[in-house]
Amino acid sequence: MRFPGTRIIAAAACTALLASAWQREARAADAAQLTDHQKVVHVLNRLAFGPRPGDVERVEAMGLEAYIHQQLHPESIEDAKADKALAGLDTLQMSSSHLMDGYYDDIRRFLQQQMAEGNAQDMKMRYGIDASRYNKGGPATKPAPPTPQDLAQRDALRCIGELQKGKIVRAVLSERQLDEVLVDFWSNHFNIDIRKNACRALKTADDRDAIRPHVLGKFRDLLGASAHSPAMLAYLDNNENAAVRQRGKFETFVAETFVSYKFGMNARGMIPATEGPNENYGREILELHTLGVDGGYTQKDVQEVARCFTGWTFNFLTGNFNFESNRHDRGEKLVLGHVIPAGGGIEDGQKVLDILASHPATSHFIARKLCQRFVSDDPPAELVERVAGVFRDTDGDLRRVVEAIVTSDEFFSPAAFRAKIKSPFEYAVSAVRATSGTFVDPPTPLMRKLKGTIEGVGTMGYEGNKLSADKHKSVNWWIHDMGEPLFAFTAPTGYPERSSRWVNPGALIERLNFALALTQENVGDVRIDPGKLVGEVDTDQPQRVLDRLAESIVHGPLSDSTRKSLVHNALPTGEGKTVDVPKLTALILGSPEFQRR
């Protein structure tokens, strides 16, 4: 069912209901301290992706301290429901070798198409492609575009949608909520854009093997896992980082043979004769991963770190990490005052990781960023310094660091309550959780075949991924259209932790349209029943319905201005008229109180 004029409703509601959406709630900020009920709601909005119906009561019954302790030890939490929902996303368990094979096949198809559409001589000059390899004795023929069913069978494309879908499913269904919040944080901290080259085939292993196992371990282990991640090395071009040298004839022959075999092209002359340093990873590991932009390093340190990581690459056949000693700079290096002796190999990079993980600037940078995530956009300096001290005293024990933040007085201060604006991902996931949404197969055979679909990512020139025009967009597509394509932020910085980044009128309208689509069963892969949120309250009692929905979704009172706008926009007037529950539910999901966490 689709209500008439929902776009008009959304725009009107955005003006009337969200005029003060980004103003802090004075009632909580002015209070001396949070109530026990507010503390539970606050914890479920920060250590989890928002409460589901019944969660607040469950945490109140078990005790806040016990819940926090449980979430800090996710290995003790049974998670069968999420595991069952993920079982069908088989690419999440596929090897990088398998996905890389598919990636090369996609490139070959793309080059075939480009060759057929363009000038053969131009393609030979630009890419070294010999058209005769494809069509013996005749002109190149454009291959038929793949059908969506064909795309669904191509694991190197399907893995993108399933990686995104898996992230959403875990955030909605997993009982290990803090673990998922931290995976989201650290994936963004060690950002990789899956649209760059082989990253789309390699990010699955990065998420599974580099990020997830280490979010509550030692920071040095997490940093090392990222440094060895082929996806990270590909994203920041460290596979091109080598000592200045002339490539040998045999090495050139092997490289050209590999390209020719994989892509069916004449690769002669395509492999550069000379290699040299690439500073991209050396710069970002200092500026973004450890010390921070004001961490006290110099451009010379960037160059020296890059030299230490020469030869750190990955095997292009298997997609696994590989250290190529013949490409490593064996000279002496000086990194942040530490001498790294000449004659070393892979251990040069390992020493840099040790230096950076134990550096005082790293403890401060990581502490502040985590405090931004869990407390406020501008966390108190005293809290940051205290948490940085825990980082140093525990040798970067991230479990202890997070515990220090989420048990602090600053975390439970009234000023922190609903002080953060939800990102599109947090908003969509929390809305599904708040309304007890369940995942279903997409409504059409095509989308069921595609499962997660290839959302927001190019498909090497083909048009098989353009499904966003369908009115039954998936949650993933809605998150994309609200401005946060998952695993697809271009800059190495990742999405900013400052939540004010999400403030603009267009984004608010899109959020309200998502809420309306969710409550009207126009989201392709989720179903909700707004009637269950009302319980036994009769829909011909508007004020009671409003109170019930507000408590079910927001878990607290609405501000006077929000309540007045809801009464004006969504409650019927006149005797015997019933409340439009889906519409009212959508507008509460779009309220300032729900948009904040």
Side-chain angles (χ1 to χ4, degrees), residues 46-98:
R46 297 294 175 91
L47 276 66
F49 289 103
R52 302 163 299 187
D55 277 355
V56 171
E57 294 78 8
R58 179 172 63 88
V59 174
E60 286 176 336
M62 72 182 296
L64 202 52
E65 184 177 340
Y67 177 77
I68 293 174
H69 178 79
Q70 181 191 64
Q71 289 297 312
L72 284 165
H73 297 83
E75 65 280 359
S76 67
I77 304 173
E78 189 269 339
D79 210 20
K81 188 174 182 180
D83 292 340
K84 181 178 179 181
L86 293 167
L89 305 179
D90 56 313
T91 63
L92 298 184
Q93 301 305 320
M94 287 180 181
S95 68
S96 293
S97 176
H98 177 85

Side-chain angles (χ1 to χ4, degrees), residues 216-248:
L216 284 168
K218 292 294 184 76
F219 177 74
R220 170 61 179 83
D221 295 335
L222 175 57
L223 181 66
S226 175
H228 287 81
S229 168
M232 180 61 74
L233 296 173
Y235 175 57
L236 293 178
D237 305 310
N238 208 73
N239 54 304
E240 300 175 7
N241 185 21
V244 176
R245 68 187 187 92
Q246 190 74 18
R247 196 188 299 270

Side-chain angles (χ1 to χ4, degrees), residues 130-265:
D130 183 356
S132 64
R133 296 293 186 98
Y134 298 112
N135 292 277
K136 305 285 186 182
T141 302
K142 180 179 177 180
T147 66
Q149 288 82 357
D150 292 334
L151 289 173
Q153 300 303 318
R154 284 160 56 180
D155 296 335
L157 294 177
R158 189 162 56 90
C159 69
I160 299 170
E162 294 197 350
L163 182 65
Q164 295 166 326
K165 179 76 171 182
K167 180 182 177 75
I168 295 167
V169 167
R170 285 183 171 111
V172 171
L173 297 180
S174 178
E175 298 296 334
R176 301 166 181 169
Q177 282 286 289
L178 176 58
D179 202 46
E180 291 306 314
V181 168
L182 289 169
V183 168
D184 180 55
F185 172 85
W186 287 112
S187 293
N188 192 57
H189 181 83
F190 293 104
N191 180 58
I192 294 170
D193 183 356
I194 55 176
R195 295 170 298 180
K196 181 174 180 180
N197 300 335
C199 293
R200 63 185 172 91
L202 298 170
K203 178 57 186 174
T204 294
D206 177 85
D207 180 78
R208 181 184 64 222
D209 305 329
I211 301 297
R212 290 187 171 276
H214 299 104
V215 297
L216 284 168
K218 292 294 184 76
F219 177 74
R220 170 61 179 83
D221 295 335
L222 175 57
L223 181 66
S226 175
H228 287 81
S229 168
M232 180 61 74
L233 296 173
Y235 175 57
L236 293 178
D237 305 310
N238 208 73
N239 54 304
E240 300 175 7
N241 185 21
V244 176
R245 68 187 187 92
Q246 190 74 18
R247 196 188 299 270
K249 290 183 179 180
F250 178 74
E251 187 179 2
T252 301
F253 169 76
V254 171
E256 290 177 346
T257 300
F258 168 77
V259 173
S260 298
Y261 170 74
K262 280 294 183 183
F263 305 136
M265 65 175 67

Side-chain angles (χ1 to χ4, degrees), residues 287-326:
E287 178 179 333
L288 300 178
H289 299 172
T290 56
L291 306 182
V293 67
D294 299 319
Y297 64 90
T298 66
Q299 175 58 27
K300 181 64 174 175
D301 288 315
V302 172
Q303 295 168 348
E304 296 291 272
V305 169
R307 290 178 61 209
C308 290
F309 284 106
T310 49
W312 285 52
T313 183
F314 61 95
N315 186 308
F316 286 83
L317 287 172
T318 66
N320 295 327
F321 174 81
N322 188 34
F323 176 71
E324 297 183 1
S325 59
N326 65 322

